[in-house]
């Protein structure tokens, strides 16, 4: 209640923007994390750079085989865009939290063992925040969560809340 709901709403929008920005930068190569030459629209693979860099990590064999696979690129980009849009708008919070959390946990696993901490990094922190966002109904404050929940589709399938 009160100011707490605005803190959760701000966290929702901020984390949504992190996902949405990652999608946009990988799609268009705006030069922040992805140079234009490696943009998805220019034929680059949004997963190759990160996953190829995991070769020496615990699960490197698994993740390097996934690098650059078209189906992996599509799933990754759909996950980034879907979570980013849903979180930013405050709709589909349960699905966004589950999908975004899974994506983050896979990225965390790809980097094991971590170099700066035995097990905790920003991927785990973001996943915990996503769970909090879904559990607190953060989409209803400064978002379209209330309107979304009232749609016939969401009333019929409440998992889409």
């Amino acid at each position: 209640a009160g100011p707490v709901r605005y803190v959760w709403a701000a966290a929702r929008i901020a984390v949504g923007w992190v996902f949405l920005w990652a999608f946009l930068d990988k799609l268009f190569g705006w030069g922040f994390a992805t140079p234009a030459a490696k943009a998805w629209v220019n034929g680059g693979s949004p997963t190759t750079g990160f996953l190829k860099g995991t070769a020496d990590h615990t699960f490197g064999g698994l993740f390097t085989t996934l690098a650059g696979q078209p189906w992996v690129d599509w799933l990754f980009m759909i996950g980034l865009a879907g979570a980013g849009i849903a979180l930013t708008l405050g709709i589909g919070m349960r699905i966004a939290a589950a999908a975004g959390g899974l994506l983050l946990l896979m990225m965390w696993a790809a980097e094991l063992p971590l170099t700066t901490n035995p097990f905790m990094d920003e991927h785990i922190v973001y996943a915990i925040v996503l769970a909090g966002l879904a559990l607190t109904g953060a989409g209803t404050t400064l978002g379209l969560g209330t309107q979304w929940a009232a749609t016939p589709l969401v009333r019929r399938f409440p998992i889409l809340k």
Side-chain angles (χ1 to χ4, degrees), residues 41-124:
V41 296
N42 292 332
S45 166
T47 62
T48 297
F50 177 74
L51 292 179
K52 287 284 185 187
T54 65
D56 295 334
H57 295 266
T58 304
F59 301 109
L62 167 67
F63 287 108
T64 56
T65 61
L66 297 175
Q69 297 286 333
W71 66 273
V72 175
D73 288 345
W74 275 96
L75 285 177
F76 179 66
M77 292 297 278
I78 289 168
L80 289 176
I85 292 166
L87 290 166
T88 303
L89 295 177
I91 62 174
M93 296 297 296
R94 293 175 182 173
I95 300 294
L102 179 62
L103 182 61
L104 289 162
L105 289 175
M106 289 175 59
M107 292 170 66
W108 170 80
E111 293 187 332
L112 292 174
L114 303 175
T115 57
T116 59
N117 191 297
F119 67 92
M120 185 64 66
D121 76 351
E122 67 276 5
H123 297 100
I124 300 295

Side-chain angles (χ1 to χ4, degrees), residues 9-31:
R12 185 196 85 234
I13 294 165
V15 174
W17 178 248
V18 168
F19 277 97
L20 197 54
W21 179 257
F23 167 77
L24 293 169
D25 190 47
K26 289 176 186 332
L27 180 63
F28 298 114
W30 287 335

